[in-house]
Amino acid sequence: MKKVLAGLAAVATLFAPGLALAEKLVIACGSVGQEADVCKQGAEAWAKKTGNTVELMSVPQDAGQQLAQFQQLLAAGSADVDVIRIDVVWPGLMANNFVDLKQYFGEDVLKEHFQPIVKNNTVNGKLIAIPWFTDAGLLYYRKDLLEKYGQKPPTTWQELVQSAKAVLEGEKKAGDAKLVGFVFQGKAYEGLTCNALEWIDSFKGGTIVDSTGNVTVNNPKAAEAIDFFAGLVGNVVPKGVLNYQEEEARNAFQAGNAVFMRNWPYAWALVNGKDSPVAGKVGVMALPKGGADGKSTGTLGGWQLGVSKFSKNPKLAADLVKYLTGPEEQKRRALVASFNPTIMSLYKDPELLKANPFMGSLYDTFVNAVPRPTITGAKYNQVSTEFRNGVYATLTGKGKAADNLKKVEAKLQSLGKGGKW
Ligand code: GLC
């Protein structure tokens, strides 16, 4: 029997040398907005082309909870997932558990992508992931409502508050009880870290930890910024925002219940979708400055695809990553779901720019986005947690920003080496 089987195998190899057996891969690729659907379409296209199958692993929407799920799987050496989507702030946290993709991706492919992202994905010389899409915080606004009340798109946060108040006053009189001024991601999770970094940077209050490793979070400009936003809660900003992630903010805005929204590019395709009540009524711009001498800034976000070290099929998994991160698929994803490509030449593609004009007009916002303090390496998640908890305390009325930031500073210094990173 053994002989017969061995013979059959030899015959199969002889007659179909290039035909590998169909394999099944598992990919974890996000669940905010259209993320899962659009990933599935791409994965299925690859599966059809190669004769394999791909299954999606379900993941929570909260980036921090996703991280916990992957860390658990990887710590257990699990082969249950082959391709993992990695947040731009994770490479320093999990590099050891990924395959070095340099063996599968040549310089010709890598040089097409934004180089700072490729660099960010390279840890101690190991390329742990390929850029998939990039992100920066943006301001969405209701063009129709601003026009109705003679308001211009705001260049400062203070102007945003004034405009929101003017619109709210008029619309409330006209009987719209549900309308609120501004929604963002205010829950105590990674999204709040992104929002609060934007507030602080826009007031020129630095970046939590600076590029040389000094903890800078406790300064008067940073405190002014956080107190400013805390002062809006219950006023122009509904209290419910303190429990909002990306999708809660988008749902409120898309239903026509908010004048302004801070969100990532993915919201563009959805708020302009066929069934969206606000389709065609939305403008998008860079986030406002923290006062006349502040700066306009957006936090750098975005996701990469890496291959788990525990995958039974790393070579095939790398082929799936190559397909999903390639130019054709990145363009498709931008057209159907407004995910910003990481391949530079796509920003000159007329079809893509027609569907997403902001990708051209706000190009500088994406290229100059402010990074979170990943200089803190393996401790980034702790740093982010301490920071946003301090911000959240202020937003919920538990102390002034100056006192809370002082406590955050002490915690970050004790996490870092000798008070410094
Ligand atoms: C977006 C960003 C990601 C960030 C997350 C926070 O998905 O791309 O970088 O960590 O939002 O909610």
Side-chain angles (χ1 to χ4, degrees), residues 131-148:
W132 198 22
F133 66 99
T134 188
D135 257 346
L138 303 174
L139 182 72
Y140 292 80
Y141 60 94
R142 286 284 301 280
K143 276 191 305 197
D144 57 329
L145 290 178
L146 292 198
E147 268 163 34
K148 186 170 167 188

PDB file of all heavy atoms in Angstrom, residues 131-148:
ATOM      1  N   PRO A 131       3.483  47.690   3.857  1.00  0.00           N
ATOM      2  CA  PRO A 131       2.434  48.698   4.023  1.00  0.00           C
ATOM      3  C   PRO A 131       1.191  48.352   3.198  1.00  0.00           C
ATOM      4  O   PRO A 131       1.303  47.911   2.046  1.00  0.00           O
ATOM      5  CB  PRO A 131       3.089  49.982   3.497  1.00  0.00           C
ATOM      6  CG  PRO A 131       4.556  49.730   3.539  1.00  0.00           C
ATOM      7  CD  PRO A 131       4.741  48.264   3.346  1.00  0.00           C
ATOM      8  N   TRP A 132       0.016  48.567   3.815  1.00  0.00           N
ATOM      9  CA  TRP A 132      -1.250  48.213   3.150  1.00  0.00           C
ATOM     10  C   TRP A 132      -2.095  49.458   2.898  1.00  0.00           C
ATOM     11  O   TRP A 132      -2.574  49.721   1.829  1.00  0.00           O
ATOM     12  CB  TRP A 132      -2.008  47.220   4.018  1.00  0.00           C
ATOM     13  CG  TRP A 132      -3.076  46.465   3.314  1.00  0.00           C
ATOM     14  CD1 TRP A 132      -3.178  46.242   1.968  1.00  0.00           C
ATOM     15  CD2 TRP A 132      -4.201  45.816   3.916  1.00  0.00           C
ATOM     16  NE1 TRP A 132      -4.298  45.483   1.706  1.00  0.00           N
ATOM     17  CE2 TRP A 132      -4.933  45.211   2.878  1.00  0.00           C
ATOM     18  CE3 TRP A 132      -4.645  45.673   5.223  1.00  0.00           C
ATOM     19  CZ2 TRP A 132      -6.096  44.475   3.116  1.00  0.00           C
ATOM     20  CZ3 TRP A 132      -5.804  44.934   5.464  1.00  0.00           C
ATOM     21  CH2 TRP A 132      -6.518  44.342   4.418  1.00  0.00           C
ATOM     22  N   PHE A 133      -2.312  50.242   3.969  1.00  0.00           N
ATOM     23  CA  PHE A 133      -2.921  51.567   3.764  1.00  0.00           C
ATOM     24  C   PHE A 133      -2.464  52.494   4.870  1.00  0.00           C
ATOM     25  O   PHE A 133      -2.052  52.048   5.939  1.00  0.00           O
ATOM     26  CB  PHE A 133      -4.451  51.506   3.659  1.00  0.00           C
ATOM     27  CG  PHE A 133      -5.208  51.090   4.887  1.00  0.00           C
ATOM     28  CD1 PHE A 133      -5.790  52.051   5.721  1.00  0.00           C
ATOM     29  CD2 PHE A 133      -5.387  49.752   5.201  1.00  0.00           C
ATOM     30  CE1 PHE A 133      -6.532  51.677   6.842  1.00  0.00           C
ATOM     31  CE2 PHE A 133      -6.127  49.367   6.327  1.00  0.00           C
ATOM     32  CZ  PHE A 133      -6.697  50.327   7.143  1.00  0.00           C
ATOM     33  N   THR A 134      -2.492  53.801   4.551  1.00  0.00           N
ATOM     34  CA  THR A 134      -2.052  54.783   5.533  1.00  0.00           C
ATOM     35  C   THR A 134      -3.243  55.634   5.949  1.00  0.00           C
ATOM     36  O   THR A 134      -4.281  55.640   5.283  1.00  0.00           O
ATOM     37  CB  THR A 134      -0.863  55.605   5.000  1.00  0.00           C
ATOM     38  OG1 THR A 134      -0.346  56.413   6.058  1.00  0.00           O
ATOM     39  CG2 THR A 134      -1.234  56.505   3.834  1.00  0.00           C
ATOM     40  N   ASP A 135      -3.105  56.311   7.070  1.00  0.00           N
ATOM     41  CA  ASP A 135      -4.203  57.053   7.669  1.00  0.00           C
ATOM     42  C   ASP A 135      -3.696  58.358   8.268  1.00  0.00           C
ATOM     43  O   ASP A 135      -2.538  58.430   8.700  1.00  0.00           O
ATOM     44  CB  ASP A 135      -4.766  56.233   8.861  1.00  0.00           C
ATOM     45  CG  ASP A 135      -6.081  55.527   8.549  1.00  0.00           C
ATOM     46  OD1 ASP A 135      -6.695  55.855   7.533  1.00  0.00           O
ATOM     47  OD2 ASP A 135      -6.478  54.664   9.339  1.00  0.00           O
ATOM     48  N   ALA A 136      -4.568  59.353   8.325  1.00  0.00           N
ATOM     49  CA  ALA A 136      -4.308  60.549   9.140  1.00  0.00           C
ATOM     50  C   ALA A 136      -5.666  61.080   9.560  1.00  0.00           C
ATOM     51  O   ALA A 136      -6.656  60.927   8.826  1.00  0.00           O
ATOM     52  CB  ALA A 136      -3.551  61.607   8.347  1.00  0.00           C
ATOM     53  N   GLY A 137      -5.722  61.678  10.739  1.00  0.00           N
ATOM     54  CA  GLY A 137      -6.982  62.252  11.214  1.00  0.00           C
ATOM     55  C   GLY A 137      -7.402  63.413  10.320  1.00  0.00           C
ATOM     56  O   GLY A 137      -6.576  64.239   9.933  1.00  0.00           O
ATOM     57  N   LEU A 138      -8.701  63.486   9.991  1.00  0.00           N
ATOM     58  CA  LEU A 138      -9.239  64.532   9.119  1.00  0.00           C
ATOM     59  C   LEU A 138     -10.488  65.134   9.762  1.00  0.00           C
ATOM     60  O   LEU A 138     -11.102  64.513  10.630  1.00  0.00           O
ATOM     61  CB  LEU A 138      -9.643  63.935   7.761  1.00  0.00           C
ATOM     62  CG  LEU A 138      -8.569  63.196   6.962  1.00  0.00           C
ATOM     63  CD1 LEU A 138      -9.200  62.562   5.718  1.00  0.00           C
ATOM     64  CD2 LEU A 138      -7.435  64.141   6.559  1.00  0.00           C
ATOM     65  N   LEU A 139     -10.849  66.335   9.292  1.00  0.00           N
ATOM     66  CA  LEU A 139     -12.093  66.950   9.765  1.00  0.00           C
ATOM     67  C   LEU A 139     -13.164  66.856   8.676  1.00  0.00           C
ATOM     68  O   LEU A 139     -12.958  67.325   7.552  1.00  0.00           O
ATOM     69  CB  LEU A 139     -11.876  68.427  10.126  1.00  0.00           C
ATOM     70  CG  LEU A 139     -13.150  69.098  10.677  1.00  0.00           C
ATOM     71  CD1 LEU A 139     -13.456  68.593  12.091  1.00  0.00           C
ATOM     72  CD2 LEU A 139     -13.026  70.606  10.672  1.00  0.00           C
ATOM     73  N   TYR A 140     -14.265  66.226   9.009  1.00  0.00           N
ATOM     74  CA  TYR A 140     -15.422  66.153   8.112  1.00  0.00           C
ATOM     75  C   TYR A 140     -16.416  67.215   8.561  1.00  0.00           C
ATOM     76  O   TYR A 140     -16.599  67.419   9.764  1.00  0.00           O
ATOM     77  CB  TYR A 140     -16.081  64.775   8.203  1.00  0.00           C
ATOM     78  CG  TYR A 140     -15.238  63.653   7.638  1.00  0.00           C
ATOM     79  CD1 TYR A 140     -14.194  63.094   8.376  1.00  0.00           C
ATOM     80  CD2 TYR A 140     -15.482  63.147   6.367  1.00  0.00           C
ATOM     81  CE1 TYR A 140     -13.426  62.070   7.857  1.00  0.00           C
ATOM     82  CE2 TYR A 140     -14.708  62.114   5.838  1.00  0.00           C
ATOM     83  CZ  TYR A 140     -13.688  61.581   6.578  1.00  0.00           C
ATOM     84  OH  TYR A 140     -12.923  60.574   6.065  1.00  0.00           O
ATOM     85  N   TYR A 141     -17.049  67.882   7.608  1.00  0.00           N
ATOM     86  CA  TYR A 141     -18.038  68.892   7.988  1.00  0.00           C
ATOM     87  C   TYR A 141     -19.206  68.892   7.020  1.00  0.00           C
ATOM     88  O   TYR A 141     -19.085  68.457   5.880  1.00  0.00           O
ATOM     89  CB  TYR A 141     -17.400  70.292   8.060  1.00  0.00           C
ATOM     90  CG  TYR A 141     -16.783  70.772   6.755  1.00  0.00           C
ATOM     91  CD1 TYR A 141     -17.522  71.569   5.868  1.00  0.00           C
ATOM     92  CD2 TYR A 141     -15.483  70.433   6.405  1.00  0.00           C
ATOM     93  CE1 TYR A 141     -16.954  72.018   4.675  1.00  0.00           C
ATOM     94  CE2 TYR A 141     -14.917  70.878   5.217  1.00  0.00           C
ATOM     95  CZ  TYR A 141     -15.656  71.663   4.352  1.00  0.00           C
ATOM     96  OH  TYR A 141     -15.112  72.087   3.160  1.00  0.00           O
ATOM     97  N   ARG A 142     -20.315  69.412   7.518  1.00  0.00           N
ATOM     98  CA  ARG A 142     -21.531  69.499   6.697  1.00  0.00           C
ATOM     99  C   ARG A 142     -21.491  70.794   5.899  1.00  0.00           C
ATOM    100  O   ARG A 142     -21.772  71.872   6.428  1.00  0.00           O
ATOM    101  CB  ARG A 142     -22.753  69.450   7.619  1.00  0.00           C
ATOM    102  CG  ARG A 142     -22.998  68.062   8.176  1.00  0.00           C
ATOM    103  CD  ARG A 142     -23.621  67.147   7.129  1.00  0.00           C
ATOM    104  NE  ARG A 142     -24.891  67.692   6.673  1.00  0.00           N
ATOM    105  CZ  ARG A 142     -26.030  67.576   7.353  1.00  0.00           C
ATOM    106  NH1 ARG A 142     -26.071  66.904   8.454  1.00  0.00           N
ATOM    107  NH2 ARG A 142     -27.145  68.127   6.889  1.00  0.00           N
ATOM    108  N   LYS A 143     -21.158  70.644   4.607  1.00  0.00           N
ATOM    109  CA  LYS A 143     -21.075  71.816   3.715  1.00  0.00           C
ATOM    110  C   LYS A 143     -22.394  72.574   3.690  1.00  0.00           C
ATOM    111  O   LYS A 143     -22.425  73.799   3.759  1.00  0.00           O
ATOM    112  CB  LYS A 143     -20.796  71.322   2.279  1.00  0.00           C
ATOM    113  CG  LYS A 143     -19.362  71.066   1.963  1.00  0.00           C
ATOM    114  CD  LYS A 143     -19.149  70.845   0.459  1.00  0.00           C
ATOM    115  CE  LYS A 143     -20.005  69.739  -0.118  1.00  0.00           C
ATOM    116  NZ  LYS A 143     -19.582  69.222  -1.401  1.00  0.00           N
ATOM    117  N   ASP A 144     -23.489  71.818   3.576  1.00  0.00           N
ATOM    118  CA  ASP A 144     -24.806  72.450   3.444  1.00  0.00           C
ATOM    119  C   ASP A 144     -25.147  73.302   4.669  1.00  0.00           C
ATOM    120  O   ASP A 144     -25.640  74.427   4.542  1.00  0.00           O
ATOM    121  CB  ASP A 144     -25.886  71.385   3.209  1.00  0.00           C
ATOM    122  CG  ASP A 144     -25.928  70.331   4.311  1.00  0.00           C
ATOM    123  OD1 ASP A 144     -24.868  70.043   4.899  1.00  0.00           O
ATOM    124  OD2 ASP A 144     -27.019  69.811   4.602  1.00  0.00           O
ATOM    125  N   LEU A 145     -24.863  72.785   5.852  1.00  0.00           N
ATOM    126  CA  LEU A 145     -25.223  73.524   7.073  1.00  0.00           C
ATOM    127  C   LEU A 145     -24.335  74.747   7.263  1.00  0.00           C
ATOM    128  O   LEU A 145     -24.804  75.810   7.670  1.00  0.00           O
ATOM    129  CB  LEU A 145     -25.145  72.604   8.299  1.00  0.00           C
ATOM    130  CG  LEU A 145     -26.227  71.524   8.377  1.00  0.00           C
ATOM    131  CD1 LEU A 145     -26.020  70.637   9.594  1.00  0.00           C
ATOM    132  CD2 LEU A 145     -27.625  72.158   8.419  1.00  0.00           C
ATOM    133  N   LEU A 146     -23.046  74.598   6.958  1.00  0.00           N
ATOM    134  CA  LEU A 146     -22.160  75.769   7.103  1.00  0.00           C
ATOM    135  C   LEU A 146     -22.602  76.872   6.136  1.00  0.00           C
ATOM    136  O   LEU A 146     -22.691  78.047   6.511  1.00  0.00           O
ATOM    137  CB  LEU A 146     -20.694  75.396   6.855  1.00  0.00           C
ATOM    138  CG  LEU A 146     -20.010  74.476   7.868  1.00  0.00           C
ATOM    139  CD1 LEU A 146     -18.493  74.552   7.731  1.00  0.00           C
ATOM    140  CD2 LEU A 146     -20.406  74.786   9.299  1.00  0.00           C
ATOM    141  N   GLU A 147     -22.920  76.473   4.910  1.00  0.00           N
ATOM    142  CA  GLU A 147     -23.373  77.472   3.932  1.00  0.00           C
ATOM    143  C   GLU A 147     -24.659  78.154   4.388  1.00  0.00           C
ATOM    144  O   GLU A 147     -24.779  79.378   4.331  1.00  0.00           O
ATOM    145  CB  GLU A 147     -23.610  76.809   2.566  1.00  0.00           C
ATOM    146  CG  GLU A 147     -22.379  76.864   1.680  1.00  0.00           C
ATOM    147  CD  GLU A 147     -22.442  75.870   0.527  1.00  0.00           C
ATOM    148  OE1 GLU A 147     -23.551  75.610   0.006  1.00  0.00           O
ATOM    149  OE2 GLU A 147     -21.365  75.342   0.172  1.00  0.00           O
ATOM    150  N   LYS A 148     -25.590  77.352   4.878  1.00  0.00           N
ATOM    151  CA  LYS A 148     -26.896  77.887   5.309  1.00  0.00           C
ATOM    152  C   LYS A 148     -26.731  78.992   6.363  1.00  0.00           C
ATOM    153  O   LYS A 148     -27.504  79.934   6.392  1.00  0.00           O
ATOM    154  CB  LYS A 148     -27.719  76.730   5.881  1.00  0.00           C
ATOM    155  CG  LYS A 148     -29.136  77.058   6.253  1.00  0.00           C
ATOM    156  CD  LYS A 148     -29.895  75.768   6.575  1.00  0.00           C
ATOM    157  CE  LYS A 148     -31.222  76.090   7.261  1.00  0.00           C
ATOM    158  NZ  LYS A 148     -31.875  74.867   7.753  1.00  0.00           N
TER     159      LYS A 148
END
